[in-house]
Amino acid sequence: MRLGALEAGGTKMVCAIGDETGTIYEQVSIPTTTPEETVPKLIEYFQDKEIAALGIATFGPVDVNPASPSYGRILDTPKLPWRQYPLLDTLKAALHIPMKLDTDVNGSCLGEMTYGSAKGLDSVMYITIGTGVGVGIAIGGRLVHGMLHPEAGHILITPAAGDENRCICPYHTSCLEGLAAGPSIEKRWGAKAVDLVDKAEVWELESEYLAQAIMDFILTVSPQRIILGGGVMHQMQLFPLIRRKVSEKINGYIRTPELADMDSYIVPASLNDDQGILGCIRLAELSLQE
Amino acid sequence: MRLGALEAGGTKMVCAIGDETGTIYEQVSIPTTTPEETVPKLIEYFQDKEIAALGIATFGPVDVNPASPSYGRILDTPKLPWRQYPLLDTLKAALHIPMKLDTDVNGSCLGEMTYGSAKGLDSVMYITIGTGVGVGIAIGGRLVHGMLHPEAGHILITPAAGDENRCICPYHTSCLEGLAAGPSIEKRWGAKAVDLVDKAEVWELESEYLAQAIMDFILTVSPQRIILGGGVMHQMQLFPLIRRKVSEKINGYIRTPELADMDSYIVPASLNDDQGILGCIRLAELSLQE
């Protein structure tokens, strides 16, 4: 069965055709400019592909509640041309096939649960650390929505000594994204993460901030596995540091078989940066079951 | 239909008989000492009450996974006589009726969702602030379990200036319970919360810590309502302070109708401290549907 996948990002739209086994047949990338310019190209790409359904994982904030009249509408994004844009309705009106939409990070979480290392688990967190920090969550086999959807990239963090005024988030004085995303690393250390590989203090500090957040996530949603993706996490030296610091912070307060095996508990994304697009394939498949 | 309810706490076991409308017919309290002494009294209480099922909400950590062989077993609690005690299996062997068990705070969350102010909502947090801090969570209509169950009373908090060494949690250098539960208030200010009502600085600080945690909870699980119960929250002056500080911390980063109406979003428990026992009644009813 041919399924369409749209990973709608702030800089590019990745469109792909695949099937429910997780095979991707083809993939293109279209720059994200304005809805007027970008969306007709998406429609043009998908319309002659003979796909049975389309799954969409998009930047947010976005209405992800299928029961809402504005399901699939982009909300108050800082990307002004997209504010209040009815992404799902527009695509539905043009393509006339079943569709299902979620956040980009929930999509990646679903991709890992369907085709990746989190297969068989039902409570999983996917955290991406790149130009921003995003968090996708599944609990009891379902992606978390609630009032809106998780925005846990902005949880509060205690800054290290000297870092009290280093958070670059325009909203928060000391949040995870503002202290630990790529732009924050670059501003603090004067170079991009990839050019700082040998500076141990960079990764000590980065892992401290990520470990604080992960500790809070473990205590709050009790995931069975935590998957870390995004550009910053290509720095594999972060993984042992994060695992050790998370264990130190929990300090035996909760004991589970999962936490006793940190190497299997906090893991890199397993799908070669295709977790997002594969999550869209799964969303497309799910749209046919509804 | 007569249903049994057992709210198993660290100092007392509340046993009650009620029905699915949320009516409580009778209620007794039995001191929690050792399983050998306490559990026979529970069995004696329930065995001639002609109940169709029993719902149990218990202190933790506890195995809350119905598919696990140790479902209903108390895990590594500091209450040593109860460590590894098979609470559910023991009661089942004696009473031979359907039972369902969850954590004390998940029970209270369920009580509020079934009979209280959170009726009709499907994503809710219940936070109790008393001798400890406990957090029950429902997402998409289901109580959150995951790897274990939420233990979000211990999430990390940034201490106020001067409070850096004031966390009294034996596990964590700066967590919510260690900074904001009743015993911490008493140790910091030299008096119990009820005797500090007129000291504005007590409630400024207390609300700051709670607001930090609530901000993180909102961003992580996106609840539709947050209910605050427990002894400390009988200090109603905390509510406006918490609401204001949560709004200030979110600072417009997420905008929802719920957050625009803080008086309805962060609310006191609505069931007269019966939320726990009523949650057990609902668990009993649910056990009959499985």
Side-chain angles (χ1 to χ4, degrees):
Chain A
M1 185 171 49
R2 291 171 63 87
L3 299 168
L6 168 60
E7 197 180 6
T11 57
K12 62 180 179 179
M13 301 277 178
V14 180
C15 304
I17 309 297
D19 67 31
E20 70 279 14
T21 67
T23 305
I24 301 294
Y25 305 140
E26 58 171 277
Q27 184 167 319
V28 299
S29 183
I30 292 165
T32 303
T33 58
T34 63
E36 293 68 31
E37 198 169 60
T38 304
V39 175
K41 293 179 188 164
L42 303 179
I43 293 167
E44 193 189 345
Y45 174 78
F46 286 114
Q47 67 189 356
D48 63 348
K49 294 292 190 298
E50 294 180 352
I51 50 176
L54 178 64
I56 305 163
T58 177
F59 65 84
V62 54
D63 185 338
V64 290
N65 175 7
S68 158
S70 58
Y71 176 44
R73 181 183 286 265
I74 308 292
L75 301 175
D76 285 345
T77 170
K79 303 176 224 315
L80 296 180
W82 293 86
R83 197 169 271 200
Q84 297 299 327
Y85 183 72
L87 178 62
L88 184 71
D89 282 353
T90 308
L91 294 171
K92 274 193 167 172
L95 298 171
H96 310 289
I97 50 174
M99 298 184 189
K100 195 167 168 68
L101 174 145
D102 217 304
T103 64
D104 44 11
V105 272
N106 269 355
S108 293
C109 190
L110 183 64
E112 289 283 348
M113 291 174 76
T114 311
Y115 303 108
S117 73
K119 210 167 163 171
L121 302 180
D122 68 13
S123 297
V124 177
M125 293 191 88
Y126 177 88
I127 311 174
T128 178
I129 304 107
T131 52
V133 178
V135 181
I137 312 178
I139 294 178
R142 292 193 291 189
L143 296 171
V144 173
H145 297 154
M147 170 177 70
L148 176 65
H149 47 67
E151 280 287 353
H154 288 255
I155 71 164
L156 300 174
I157 293 294
T158 301
D163 257 13
E164 290 81 1
N165 300 311
R166 288 250 170 68
C167 175
I168 63 171
C169 173
Y171 292 94
H172 308 127
T173 51
S174 184
C175 76
L176 180 62
E177 178 167 304
L179 284 166
S184 182
I185 296 175
E186 188 173 348
K187 184 159 185 224
R188 191 186 196 292
W189 301 98
K192 282 183 187 298
V194 286
D195 298 319
L196 294 164
V197 178
D198 296 331
K199 283 186 92 83
E201 64 269 37
V202 175
W203 311 110
E204 272 296 319
L205 186 64
E206 180 72 6
S207 61
E208 164 64 23
Y209 292 147
L210 291 169
Q212 281 188 32
I214 291 170
M215 153 92 169
D216 288 352
F217 295 151
I218 292 170
L219 293 174
T220 306
V221 302
S222 201
Q224 297 159 320
R225 183 164 295 166
I226 295 172
I227 298 164
L228 303 180
V232 171
M233 293 314 301
H234 289 159
Q235 302 297 319
M236 297 300 287
Q237 70 274 21
L238 278 169
F239 282 88
L241 293 170
I242 291 168
R243 290 176 187 131
R244 176 169 56 77
K245 288 176 199 280
V246 168
S247 290
E248 286 168 4
K249 287 177 195 303
I250 293 177
N251 196 23
Y253 175 67
I254 51 174
R255 297 172 188 275
T256 65
E258 291 89 344
L259 292 177
D261 181 13
M262 271 284 165
D263 289 355
S264 305
Y265 187 66
I266 298 176
V267 299
S270 67
L271 294 168
N272 228 345
D273 287 336
D274 276 343
Q275 54 271 19
I277 210 75
L278 286 168
C280 295
I281 291 288
R282 175 65 177 156
L283 286 171
E285 190 186 3
L286 288 171
S287 78
L288 292 168
Q289 296 168 12
E290 284 177 351
Chain B
M1 184 170 49
R2 290 170 64 86
L3 298 168
L6 168 59
E7 198 181 4
T11 57
K12 62 180 178 178
M13 301 276 177
V14 179
C15 303
I17 309 296
D19 67 31
E20 69 279 16
T21 68
T23 305
I24 302 294
Y25 304 140
E26 58 171 278
Q27 185 166 319
V28 299
S29 184
I30 292 166
T32 304
T33 58
T34 64
E36 292 69 31
E37 199 171 59
T38 304
V39 174
K41 293 177 186 166
L42 303 178
I43 293 168
E44 193 190 344
Y45 174 78
F46 285 114
Q47 68 189 353
D48 63 348
K49 294 292 189 299
E50 294 180 353
I51 50 176
L54 179 64
I56 306 163
T58 177
F59 65 83
V62 54
D63 185 337
V64 290
N65 175 8
S68 158
S70 58
Y71 176 43
R73 181 184 287 264
I74 308 292
L75 301 175
D76 285 345
T77 171
K79 304 177 224 316
L80 296 181
W82 294 86
R83 197 168 270 200
Q84 297 299 326
Y85 183 72
L87 178 62
L88 184 71
D89 283 352
T90 307
L91 294 171
K92 274 194 166 170
L95 297 171
H96 309 289
I97 51 175
M99 298 184 190
K100 197 169 167 68
L101 174 146
D102 217 304
T103 64
D104 43 12
V105 273
N106 269 355
S108 293
C109 191
L110 182 65
E112 289 283 348
M113 291 175 76
T114 311
Y115 303 108
S117 73
K119 210 167 162 170
L121 302 180
D122 68 13
S123 296
V124 177
M125 293 190 88
Y126 177 89
I127 310 174
T128 178
I129 304 106
T131 53
V133 178
V135 181
I137 313 177
I139 294 178
R142 293 192 292 189
L143 297 171
V144 173
H145 296 154
M147 170 176 69
L148 176 66
H149 47 66
E151 280 287 352
H154 289 255
I155 71 163
L156 300 174
I157 294 293
T158 301
D163 257 13
E164 292 81 1
N165 299 311
R166 288 251 168 68
C167 175
I168 64 170
C169 173
Y171 293 95
H172 308 127
T173 51
S174 183
C175 76
L176 180 62
E177 177 167 304
L179 284 166
S184 182
I185 296 174
E186 189 173 346
K187 185 161 186 222
R188 190 183 197 294
W189 301 97
K192 283 183 187 297
V194 287
D195 299 320
L196 294 164
V197 177
D198 297 331
K199 283 187 93 82
E201 64 268 38
V202 174
W203 311 109
E204 273 296 320
L205 186 64
E206 180 71 7
S207 61
E208 164 64 24
Y209 291 147
L210 291 170
Q212 281 188 32
I214 290 169
M215 153 92 170
D216 287 352
F217 295 151
I218 291 170
L219 293 174
T220 307
V221 302
S222 201
Q224 297 159 320
R225 183 163 295 164
I226 295 171
I227 298 164
L228 304 179
V232 171
M233 294 312 302
H234 289 158
Q235 302 298 319
M236 298 299 289
Q237 69 274 21
L238 277 169
F239 283 88
L241 294 170
I242 291 168
R243 290 174 186 132
R244 177 170 55 76
K245 287 175 200 280
V246 168
S247 289
E248 287 169 3
K249 287 177 196 303
I250 293 176
N251 196 23
Y253 175 68
I254 51 175
R255 296 172 189 275
T256 65
E258 291 89 343
L259 291 177
D261 181 13
M262 270 284 166
D263 289 355
S264 305
Y265 188 64
I266 298 176
V267 299
S270 67
L271 294 169
N272 227 344
D273 288 336
D274 276 342
Q275 54 273 18
I277 210 76
L278 286 168
C280 296
I281 292 288
R282 176 65 177 155
L283 286 171
E285 190 186 3
L286 289 171
S287 77
L288 291 169
Q289 297 169 10
E290 284 177 351

